[in-house]
Structure formats: structure tokens, C-alpha cells
Amino acid sequence: MAIIETEAPLHEAHRDNHTHRDVNGGWLRPAVFGAMDGLVSNLALMTGVAGGAAGQHAVVLSGLAGLAAGAFSMAAGEYTSVASQRELVEAELDVERRQLRKHPKDEEAELAALYASRGVEPRLAREVARQLSEDPEQALEIHAREELGIDPGDLPSPAVAAVSSFGSFALGALIPVLPYLLGASSIWPAVLLALLGLFLCGAVVARVTARTWWYSGLRQLFLGGAAAGVTYALGTVFGTAVG
């Protein structure tokens, strides 16, 4: 008996399994940029102190102080920023919730008009808006997304933002201090390790951008190296003037 092979359905044969990168960066973006911020700022601080002809003890102390001060500052700033943003969003959600309770038909008509403006046939837009508005919480979520561009169930946590900012900044700021803690006696091992860290951070950032990893890495290496060079020169000038 001959076996007849049948072709797979067209939608299966030509199924497109493409995926998109996370355009918001997710956790990667704030983590990498926090580490990069700590690395650049602490490297610049340490090279500035070293440029002023300060001893090894002073350079290490400045690096550790810069790590602690910067990490706590980042955590406090991030907590305040995210908490304020969340409070603003919750206030706007309360306004929308009251409007849905007091004027449900007006809000339903508003939602229908929004769908119609996007090309949905008016009768269908009204029916969709009617069905979606039957559940108050679902209606609130839809209005929040359409009018405010937010998801009420996915608001950022101030505590998580503060802890992640503290950790990522401290990790980046530790890199230029590490050679000293391992026995280095000059600034140059710290500079080389920090520049390598900057290149790697830049390469990782390429995951959330359209740039190639080597371009992004070299760009960050150049910018961080320039910051360190400028502060070293300023430290030399100020050290000479003060001395």
C-alpha cells in the first residue's frame, strides 16, 4: 500500500517563531548601568586622588568611601524616585476608579471611542467596550493601560529598586578597589581592571541595543577612560597647587 504524504497546513509550515529583545531592558539595563556608574565614578575618584600624589592608603580609603557613599546615595535616590512615581500612579488610578464608579456609561463610551479611533467598526467597538466594562477591575486595568500607559498589577517596588541599585553600584565601584585589596601598590592595575570592566559592561549593554558588542564595549571604555584621565590630570594640578 502506497503511503500518501500530506503537506502540513500552511500556517504550520510557515510558522514564524521570531522573537524580540526586551526593549525596556528588564532587569539587565538598570543592573548594568548601575554597575557602570559605580565603576566610572569610583575609578575617576581614585585616579583623581592618585593624581594628587596621595599615598596608597589614601587612594584605597577614597575608593572604599566612594563605594559606600555612592551606593547609599544611589539606593536612597532610587527609593525616593520609584516611591514618588508609584504614589503618583496610585493617585491617578484612584481618580480613574472614582470615575468608573460615578460615571460608568461615560467611561464605557470613552473606551468605545478610543477603539473606534484605532479603526474598529463603531458597533463592534461599543460592544467590546460594554463587555470589558462589566468587570470593574478589568475596566480599571484597561483604562489605565490605554489612558495612562501603565499596568496596575505591575507597579515597580521602591525597596527592590533601592536594593538592586545599591548592589549593582557597589559591585561596579569595587572593581577599581579590588587590586589594592589583593596587594597592588599603584593605581595602574586598578585602572587596567576598571577599563576591562568598562569594556565588558559596554558589551553586555549591547544586548538591549542595536549596536555590536565590540562597538558598545569600546565606546564605554573610551568614555570611562576619558573620565579617569581628566580627573587624574585635575588631581595632579590641584595636588601641585595645594602642595
Side-chain angles (χ1 to χ4, degrees), residues 9-221:
L10 185 62
H11 68 278
E12 292 184 6
H14 298 280
R15 183 175 297 163
D16 187 359
N17 292 322
H18 75 284
T19 58
H20 292 286
R21 289 175 295 179
D22 180 5
V23 296
N24 292 320
W27 62 270
L28 179 64
R29 184 180 183 278
V32 172
F33 279 94
M36 200 178 298
D37 189 14
L39 207 167
V40 172
S41 62
N42 219 28
L43 174 64
L45 174 62
M46 292 174 65
T47 53
V49 173
Q56 176 184 350
H57 180 75
V59 176
V60 175
L61 185 60
S62 68
L64 292 175
L67 185 158
F72 280 111
S73 176
M74 284 286 292
E78 194 71 13
Y79 183 92
T80 302
S81 174
V82 174
S84 300
Q85 179 186 13
R86 186 180 179 115
E87 290 164 1
L88 174 61
V89 169
E90 289 174 344
E92 291 301 313
L93 288 175
D94 285 340
V95 171
E96 193 64 37
R97 190 176 285 109
R98 287 195 299 270
Q99 291 299 314
L100 285 168
R101 187 172 59 251
K102 294 179 179 179
H103 310 288
K105 290 301 181 182
D106 291 341
E107 293 297 309
E108 181 181 320
E110 182 180 316
L111 192 60
L114 187 147
Y115 288 140
S117 69
R118 295 184 177 179
V120 179
E121 194 271 329
R123 177 182 293 181
L124 178 58
R126 289 193 297 271
E127 178 60 20
V128 170
R130 185 191 67 78
Q131 293 187 27
L132 293 176
S133 298
E134 290 179 352
D135 182 352
E137 287 304 313
Q138 179 176 255
L140 175 64
E141 180 178 337
I142 294 170
H143 279 275
R145 287 181 174 178
E146 297 292 348
E147 298 177 24
L148 304 176
I150 60 173
D151 182 354
D154 190 27
L155 299 182
S157 167
V160 171
V163 170
S164 61
S165 294
F166 182 96
S168 60
F169 185 97
L171 181 62
L174 179 63
I175 292 177
V177 182
L178 198 56
Y180 281 101
L181 299 180
L182 296 178
S185 57
S186 70
I187 190 66
W188 301 115
V191 171
L192 292 177
L193 183 61
L195 292 178
L196 176 61
L198 286 169
F199 179 84
L200 293 177
C201 283
V204 172
V205 169
R207 289 190 57 184
V208 291
T209 67
R211 295 291 186 181
T212 57
W213 64 269
W214 58 265
Y215 176 87
S216 184
L218 288 175
R219 178 176 61 183
Q220 194 57 42
L221 186 151

